[in-house]
Amino acid sequence: MSKNDPIERHTIAVLVDNEPGILARVVGLFSGRGYNIESLTVAETDAEGHRSRITIVTRGTPMVIEQIKAQLDRLVPVHRVSDLTMEGPHVERELALVKVVSAGEKRVESLRIADIFRAKAIDSTIGSFTFEITGSGEKIDAFVGLMKPLGLAEVSRTGVVAIARGERGM
Amino acid sequence: MSTAAKSPTTQDTAQMNGAEIVLKALVEQGVEVIFGYPGGAVLPLYDAIFLQNSVKHILVRQEGGAVHAAEGYARSTGKVGVVLVTSGPGATNAVTGLVDALMDSIPIVCLTGQVPTHLIGNDAFQEADTTGITRPATKHNYLVKDITKLAQTVHEAFHVARSGRPGPVVIDLPKDILMGKGEYKSAEAFKRVSYTPRLDPDPKSIAQAVDLMLSAKRPIFYTGGGVINSGPEASAALTKFVRQTGFPITNTLMGLGAMPAADPLFLGMLGMHGTYEANLSMHGCDVMVNIGARFDDRVTGRLNAFSPNSKKIHADIDPSSINKNVRVEVPIVGDAGRVIAALAAEWDRRIAAGAKPDKKALAEWWAQIETWRKRDCLAYRKSDSIIKPQYALERLQAITAKRDDVFITTEVGQHQMWAAQYLKFQKPNRWMTSGGLGTMGYGLPAAMGVQIAHPDALVIDVAGEASTLMNIQELSTIAQYRLPVKVFILNNQYMGMVRQWQELLHGSRYSESYTESLPDFVKLAEAFHCVGLRATKTSEVDDTINEMIAIKKPVIVDMCVDQMENCFPMIPSGAAHNEMILGPDDKGNKGGGAGPISEEGMVLV
Ligand SMILES: Cc1ncc(C[n+]2csc(CCOP(=O)(O)OP(=O)(O)O)c2C)c(N)n1
Ligand SMILES: [Mg+2]
């Protein structure tokens, strides 16, 4: 392992049996081996087959990324590990709920910016808006950044979900 | 007629309780022996054990001993070792053994009791989060919450433990599951889809590997525990293939016995306390053929100086072992036995088609290796009076050399490394030592497990006095089952390996590495219904060993050895293979090595 190897960001999808402890296995693997988790999402995607899909965004040298995939694949309840970053073009999306508490000109400005970002107001009171926004992580970062001076009160983000472009499936 | 007299295990399947289901599944899996210790949560299982005769239970004296015994059993037979412990402290006591088995890839199924499902999470008496605690300590673990899944879980646990890269598996069994009624299902009824270890190597990588091997001028085989785990046929095939190629071979600590030590192609063990010839051959080779070894840090020394000019082939059943520490040119995923068979077949095919290995280069390579061998790196300063630990082991080797029934286990420390250096293993599955975890207290219970599997064999635990005390309670088990285990203590009164590092790295400040008030091991043997022998002079060594072997009872030998002896050769932490330290009397001119240990090396273990 060379210290000069570049650090890469990879998005990895993992298909697992939806059984107790599976998330702890995956998270424990990352913490135990000192790998980094930038984002992790999980939900059941096939109720009949009891399968869940975990999407992990991680960073590491190419050798570490290979290790992460091999280590994930070694877990007994894991069916498939797919490195979306390596395997061709893919789309990534994240959803965020952003609460802004303000009045007057700031309130109007937050609505205007939300419109530009195609964020929806899904809850509002006289003094607040809650926006729903989807997009890439950077887009959400940008939106949240703009809301800061406009009364940003709270953010809840899902983490990244991702899927390969085109006809390819996992 | 009444059906009341039927034994529980032959009742209608629909009427079995969970404990009987577990036992029946164990029988179907071919289990003959369980190592265990009872407690409240597993009483239903102990009741089921009481009412049957197919599975024998060995009552250990501490759960840690049960796991090591099961490891010894597994490693000497190739079967899965089985452990049964109660909830809470029973399970936590087993954890060290589980990690030991994980690090050394030993197949173990450990059944742990658990509080009833409705109490889980309530801090109930003797409740521990066993699946949580053992998740990173096992290859896989299960908590059974539904009796309809019980039989399946046991069958699957055995499959996971023994297939692919073997390892320990825990099944946590709540007491209500053990007592509930359910139906038995046989193993054929299930198949897990998500777990499919790859066994057969890719023919393309085999061809590339043979290309490299044919072009080699300075080749070496470096093989490990994977070959042992693949079964004795794999070792036999390896020996045959190595002889066909005429290449030198070195084994890891875990891999000893795969190549007969008596073979001239065998260079001995490599690594931190490996031989001069093995380590320098690894350093200087141009093609390395690694089969079933994992480039452990004890083997590689400083990574950026490890075998700098070689092209590397690495075959491993576990893809995560490949390119983990060392980048290799030809990765091969597969079972060691199948890889060796495929390599040998491809080699034969190429030779038949006219391929010519570089015989001349190989002869020069061997000439070089012979000069390294002549350095006689295992030479040590002899003494007519004080017993040198190396001498005691040389004599043990010489006296037992003609026997075909010798099994060696070890504790951890200098004695372990000396055993690896001076004892000669001609066959696989004869050498049981804690490699990856380095667990003091392993050898005595492991020897017990080996002796259970091989009642008539000569089973010797080569021990240090400090390690022996870590699981000394198992002498009571050994006495109960009349196991004629021999505990061969190289008693230097020090935690010798710790003392050696303190001498080399910490200015000979022997902080807490001397054991005051050691027991009198001869009297201790007697208290445990064993025979105790002691030797204090060189002249007594042979007689003591002969007497130990002649006594058909468990024996503790207190070999009082030189307290200040160090284990050489040694590659200090953070050094390269060619920076090895040789013994104080080494006759070679000091080149490279033996310099002060770097700061970077100091932080390494
Ligand atoms: C459970 C455990 N604790 C601590 C250590 C660290 N350690 C490695 S070797 C050793 C000394 C072993 O002494 P002894 O059994 O007398 O063997 P010797 O080195 O003297 O041959 C120690 C403490 C260990 N390997 N395992
Ligand atoms: Mg000692």
Side-chain angles (χ1 to χ4, degrees):
Chain A
M1 222 177 308
S2 153
K3 285 187 186 130
N4 309 322
D5 281 353
I7 301 287
E8 298 175 355
R9 175 185 183 274
H10 282 240
T11 303
I12 297 169
V14 191
L15 226 46
V16 300
D17 282 324
N18 183 13
E19 58 181 41
I22 177 61
L23 192 57
R25 276 181 218 288
V26 170
V27 173
L29 173 75
F30 275 72
S31 63
R33 294 187 181 267
Y35 306 143
N36 150 334
I37 300 181
E38 202 169 286
S39 153
L40 184 146
T41 64
V42 56
E44 191 169 73
T45 49
D46 170 7
E48 263 164 54
H50 298 288
R51 302 276 172 86
S52 294
R53 179 170 173 132
I54 301 177
T55 309
I56 302 168
V57 181
T58 185
R59 281 176 190 278
T61 62
M63 213 157 151
V64 167
I65 300 285
E66 284 309 309
Q67 262 298 299
I68 290 174
K69 289 185 278 181
Q71 292 289 354
L72 283 169
D73 211 21
R74 217 155 75 106
L75 297 177
V76 170
V78 166
H79 287 262
R80 228 173 106 52
V81 177
S82 173
D83 184 341
L84 296 170
T85 305
M86 288 262 292
E87 288 166 18
H90 68 282
V91 279
E92 286 185 16
R93 287 292 178 273
E94 192 176 351
L95 183 146
L97 302 177
V98 180
K99 186 177 286 184
V100 179
V101 178
S102 54
E105 187 48 37
K106 284 188 175 172
R107 184 170 159 82
V108 179
E109 182 61 19
S110 71
L111 203 59
R112 212 176 287 144
I113 291 173
D115 194 42
I116 295 167
F117 276 78
R118 286 197 219 125
K120 269 194 304 198
I122 56 166
D123 179 59
S124 66
T125 64
I126 298 291
S128 72
F129 282 122
T130 297
F131 297 110
E132 173 196 311
I133 177 169
T134 47
S136 67
E138 296 88 73
K139 175 178 164 186
I140 292 171
D141 288 346
F143 182 70
V144 169
L146 287 171
M147 288 298 141
K148 248 182 209 151
L150 302 177
L152 179 73
E154 199 175 334
V155 184
S156 176
R157 294 171 72 148
T158 58
V160 171
V161 292
I163 205 159
R165 283 192 187 273
E167 287 159 26
R168 268 182 312 125
M170 221 180 137
Chain B
M1 268 205 60
S2 146
T3 54
K6 273 191 182 175
S7 94
T9 42
T10 56
Q11 274 177 354
D12 295 344
T13 48
Q15 304 222 328
M16 292 173 85
N17 71 26
E20 290 157 358
I21 291 174
V22 170
L23 261 178
K24 191 163 176 175
L26 295 183
V27 172
E28 185 179 333
Q29 290 296 331
V31 175
E32 290 163 4
V33 185
I34 302 180
F35 299 90
Y37 204 90
V42 284
L43 284 180
L45 258 172
Y46 275 86
D47 206 36
I49 287 172
F50 189 85
L51 293 168
Q52 56 85 52
N53 284 317
S54 347
V55 180
K56 181 173 178 172
H57 180 274
I58 304 292
L59 177 65
V60 300
R61 299 303 188 258
Q62 207 261 24
E63 291 84 354
V67 189
H68 295 320
E71 288 185 273
Y73 180 91
R75 287 179 69 166
S76 65
T77 60
K79 295 181 197 164
V80 178
V82 182
V83 178
L84 168 58
V85 298
T86 195
S87 65
T92 53
N93 272 349
V95 169
T96 299
L98 294 171
V99 179
D100 192 272
L102 184 71
M103 294 286 269
D104 284 348
S105 309
I106 310 302
I108 298 289
V109 169
C110 177
L111 308 168
T112 56
Q114 183 54 278
V115 301
T117 43
H118 67 275
L119 286 181
I120 290 179
N122 280 3
D123 300 323
F125 178 61
Q126 295 200 327
E127 180 185 356
D129 175 8
T130 301
T131 45
I133 291 168
T134 63
R135 200 170 286 128
T138 52
K139 179 172 175 185
H140 193 53
N141 64 12
Y142 303 87
L143 169 62
V144 182
K145 283 182 149 171
D146 173 359
I147 194 160
T148 63
K149 303 232 173 80
L150 180 56
Q152 163 184 8
T153 303
V154 178
H155 295 312
E156 192 180 296
F158 274 84
H159 174 60
V160 170
R162 69 162 77 92
S163 60
R165 178 173 178 180
V169 177
V170 160
I171 313 176
D172 204 22
L173 298 164
K175 194 168 182 182
D176 57 325
I177 299 292
L178 291 176
M179 297 183 73
K181 299 273 184 223
E183 212 178 304
Y184 182 75
K185 296 196 192 85
S186 107
E188 290 132 47
F190 317 101
K191 181 119 185 73
R192 176 135 205 162
V193 280
S194 69
Y195 169 75
T196 46
R198 172 166 191 168
L199 302 178
D200 283 310
D202 173 9
K204 271 208 287 297
S205 50
I206 293 290
Q208 283 172 1
V210 172
D211 280 342
L212 266 184
M213 290 173 70
L214 283 165
S215 71
K217 295 187 185 314
R218 299 184 311 280
I220 188 164
F221 280 97
Y222 147 50
T223 77
V227 178
I228 310 282
N229 271 342
S230 181
E233 314 75 37
S235 293
L238 175 73
T239 303
K240 187 165 166 235
F241 183 44
V242 171
R243 286 177 183 159
Q244 241 172 325
T245 60
F247 293 178
I249 174 170
T250 176
N251 286 162
T252 65
L253 181 69
M254 296 301 295
L256 292 173
M259 183 76 188
D263 195 294
L265 301 175
F266 183 61
L267 305 184
M269 180 176 77
L270 83 164
M272 184 173 272
H273 293 288
T275 67
Y276 188 68
E277 51 271 33
N279 285 331
L280 285 196
S281 301
M282 286 289 280
H283 191 81
C285 69
D286 72 340
V287 172
M288 180 187 296
V289 189
N290 171 350
I291 304 174
R294 59 184 175 91
F295 293 110
D296 175 79
D297 54 79
R298 279 293 180 277
V299 155
T300 60
R302 192 169 77 241
L303 269 180
N304 61 10
F306 172 67
S307 194
N309 301 314
S310 62
K311 292 219 158 56
K312 300 173 186 75
I313 299 160
H314 184 188
D316 205 295
I317 199 161
D318 177 1
S320 78
S321 284
I322 297 175
N323 286 326
K324 180 172 65 178
N325 305 328
V326 173
R327 235 186 274 261
V328 300
E329 278 70 23
V330 184
I332 304 175
V333 176
D335 168 69
R338 298 194 193 191
V339 169
I340 294 162
L343 287 173
E346 179 69 8
W347 177 273
D348 286 347
R349 207 178 60 73
R350 300 284 191 90
I351 298 286
K356 297 236 179 324
D358 193 337
K359 287 248 168 62
K360 185 165 158 284
L362 193 60
E364 282 167 23
W365 178 225
W366 269 111
Q368 169 65 67
I369 292 171
E370 290 306 334
T371 66
W372 291 329
R373 244 185 193 158
K374 284 217 179 67
R375 189 83 170 254
D376 193 13
C377 68
L378 295 180
Y380 59 93
R381 199 177 296 172
K382 302 256 181 347
S383 162
D384 290 339
S385 48
I386 190 162
I387 302 172
K388 291 286 178 176
Q390 301 95 324
Y391 176 77
L393 288 171
E394 269 183 353
R395 295 313 302 154
L396 182 66
Q397 168 62 31
I399 292 169
T400 57
K402 295 232 160 58
R403 299 179 68 128
D404 191 31
D405 64 343
V406 184
F407 291 77
I408 302 288
T409 70
T410 77
E411 306 293 341
V412 171
Q414 290 179 317
H415 63 276
Q416 175 191 29
M417 292 298 116
W418 282 318
Q421 292 172 337
Y422 292 92
L423 301 181
K424 306 290 167 211
F425 299 95
Q426 313 301 345
K427 282 185 178 175
N429 306 99
R430 297 305 181 91
W431 164 247
M432 274 65 48
T433 194
S434 173
L437 196 62
T439 311
M440 290 171 70
Y442 169 89
L444 179 56
M448 190 166 98
V450 175
Q451 190 86 72
I452 296 277
H454 309 273
D456 301 321
L458 176 58
V459 182
I460 306 172
D461 171 27
V462 173
E465 76 298 331
S467 298
T468 307
L469 288 178
M470 284 219 178
N471 269 321
I472 195 72
Q473 77 286 347
E474 296 310 326
L475 282 178
S476 178
T477 313
I478 284 173
Q480 176 179 343
Y481 297 94
R482 298 177 192 288
L483 305 173
V485 164
K486 318 298 181 204
V487 185
F488 193 77
I489 303 177
L490 297 177
N491 185 350
N492 51 12
Q493 299 181 37
Y494 275 98
M495 298 168 198
M497 192 56 96
V498 174
R499 195 203 52 71
Q500 175 167 347
W501 280 50
Q502 289 172 331
E503 182 181 329
L504 295 174
L505 289 123
H506 297 276
S508 297
R509 291 179 295 280
Y510 298 138
S511 176
E512 306 295 328
S513 53
Y514 181 76
T515 314
E516 304 274 357
S517 309
L518 278 168
D520 177 332
F521 283 103
V522 173
K523 285 192 183 146
L524 181 130
E526 283 157 14
F528 277 104
H529 319 288
C530 309
V531 176
L533 303 175
R534 176 172 294 125
T536 55
K537 294 200 287 280
T538 303
S539 57
E540 295 167 355
V541 169
D542 274 29
D543 287 350
T544 308
I545 292 172
N546 282 318
E547 196 179 345
M548 169 188 92
I549 294 170
I551 296 170
K552 299 297 169 220
K553 288 178 69 175
V555 180
I556 297 185
V557 171
D558 187 16
M559 266 295 153
C560 303
V561 299
D562 189 344
Q563 297 189 0
M564 289 295 146
E565 195 65 27
N566 284 334
C567 184
F568 293 115
M570 177 176 183
I571 301 174
S573 291
H577 278 179
N578 58 347
E579 294 168 348
M580 204 172 332
I581 304 177
L582 288 140
D585 288 350
D586 177 57
K587 31 193 193 307
N589 43 358
K590 288 265 182 302
I597 290 155
S598 67
E599 292 259 323
E600 249 174 276
M602 288 272 287
V603 304
L604 300 174
V605 182

